Amino acid sequence: MRLRITSWNINSIRIRLDLLARVVRHCRPDVLCLQETKVENGRFPRHEVAALGLPHMFLHGQKSWHGVATLARLPLRDCEAVGWCDVEDCRHTICFLPGDIELHNLYIPAGGDIPDPEVNPKFRHKLEMLAALTDYFAARRGDGARLILVGDLNIAPLPTDVWNHRALLKVVSHTPVEVEALTRLQRAYDFVDAVRTRIPPEEKVFTWWSYRARDWRKSNRGRRLDHIWLSPALAPYLREVEVWAEARGLERPSDHVPVTAELELPESWFDAAV
DNA sequence: ATGGTAGGTATCCTA
């Protein structure tokens, strides 16, 4: 059974329905995890999304900011919105896919401009959410779950995940304290970074380019902020990944591009689910 | 070194 999963920070779903259709056509996701939908559940364009072949959805949105949505070709079950750090923000959901696959869709706080938790509450919130997730996954380490964690994690961990490692060491998204926090989260559950199993760490990979560049392609000052992580139980079944960078050059783009992973899973997992 | 753009919303906040 082939399963394609795409993660994309759409930066407002309501103004990008045409682009969403293009992403669905290009990436052919069985499950599409969106971040920054920027819309309350009651105003989410359900019919338009269902018409794209993704009729099953779990929405966790709020007015103006943040918001995640998991959209699927196949039924979702046991869906849950998760809150951390006593904040009402809509940043995390868990849904189960056929085959007992536990899918986490995450939008980690960007963290503001100043990389100091003492003076910048947004940066503190970012580190605290990462620490809370680390505790949560550390407590489950080795449980053998078929688990996928995707989303805009707002951190570029490797030197080759940014256009200039030295220039970005003091820029939020690539500071050592953030990279360490993300690495701790990854190691807490032995997550496998799907993209980096296919693209060697010497090679630059970006999933985000600022709107502020005159020419995103020419300056190419990107960062890899969007990730697909697999639990040890799922990692052996990864077949391919794609970062659709060309999506950044489409009309009225998001500043993030979609990341897709394709898994080839044992049929028996799905027989058992029936 | 600085400021640059985009989206939601209705004034500036967030990214």
Side-chain angles (χ1 to χ4, degrees):
Chain A
M1 169 76 91
R2 269 202 277 187
L3 179 75
R4 290 178 65 83
I5 175 154
T6 299
S7 179
W8 184 33
N9 179 323
I10 192 170
N11 187 18
S12 168
I13 187 166
R14 286 176 295 175
I15 64 152
R16 261 183 263 287
L17 283 169
D18 290 345
L19 197 54
L20 179 66
R22 303 232 5 212
V23 165
V24 170
R25 244 183 309 166
H26 179 93
C27 300
R28 308 179 332 271
D30 296 299
V31 191
L32 174 55
C33 292
L34 299 177
Q35 303 87 32
E36 279 207 274
T37 51
K38 295 188 173 178
V39 65
E40 295 155 292
N41 294 349
R43 294 170 176 269
F44 191 94
R46 286 176 169 272
H47 299 296
E48 292 85 343
V49 168
L52 298 176
L54 300 166
H56 303 281
M57 44 193 99
F58 184 63
L59 311 177
H60 184 39
Q62 67 187 84
K63 193 176 177 181
S64 303
W65 300 310
H66 322 314
V68 295
T70 301
L71 317 173
R73 199 170 56 77
L74 303 166
L76 301 166
R77 66 167 173 86
D78 296 332
C79 297
E80 179 188 356
V82 186
W84 299 102
C85 311
D86 298 317
V87 175
E88 300 292 321
D89 291 357
C90 299
R91 298 182 176 276
H92 185 187
T93 61
I94 306 172
C95 297
F96 282 82
L97 311 176
D100 279 323
I101 293 161
E102 178 182 339
L103 174 60
H104 291 245
N105 183 2
L106 273 163
Y107 177 51
I108 299 288
D113 288 331
I114 304 165
D116 180 349
E118 300 301 320
V119 302
N120 176 3
K122 293 178 197 166
F123 195 75
R124 189 186 325 134
H125 180 207
K126 183 177 198 173
L127 295 180
E128 284 176 355
M129 182 165 169
L130 289 163
L133 286 165
T134 301
D135 290 346
Y136 167 82
F137 281 110
R140 293 186 50 180
R141 187 174 195 189
D143 69 1
R146 300 166 184 166
L147 199 151
I148 310 177
L149 183 156
V150 310
D152 177 3
L153 306 186
N154 264 315
I155 296 174
L158 303 184
T160 48
D161 291 335
V162 294
W163 65 277
N164 184 325
H165 171 60
R166 285 196 55 189
L168 284 163
L169 279 171
K170 291 180 178 173
V171 175
V172 171
S173 73
H174 194 61
T175 63
V177 63
E178 290 168 273
V179 170
E180 283 159 20
L182 191 71
T183 303
R184 273 197 296 276
L185 171 58
Q186 186 178 353
R187 291 189 181 149
Y189 199 72
D190 300 315
F191 282 113
V192 172
D193 177 344
V195 167
R196 281 303 182 190
T197 68
R198 286 302 195 272
I199 304 174
E202 299 78 33
E203 194 175 319
K204 284 184 174 156
V205 187
F206 309 141
T207 66
W208 172 90
W209 291 261
S210 171
Y211 283 126
R212 294 175 184 174
R214 282 188 198 88
D215 184 333
W216 72 276
R217 199 190 300 271
K218 194 173 169 193
S219 59
N220 198 25
R221 296 187 168 189
R223 307 176 199 171
R224 187 170 73 105
L225 305 179
D226 303 273
H227 301 270
I228 298 179
W229 288 357
L230 305 174
S231 70
L234 279 183
Y237 303 103
L238 178 66
R239 286 297 169 267
E240 63 174 65
V241 302
E242 187 200 19
V243 177
W244 190 30
E246 286 307 307
R248 185 63 179 79
L250 300 176
E251 194 176 340
R252 219 160 175 213
S254 168
D255 45 356
H256 295 253
V257 299
V259 182
T260 301
E262 181 174 310
L263 306 176
E264 177 77 45
L265 303 170
E267 296 288 341
S268 60
W269 291 6
F270 300 88
D271 302 339
V274 172

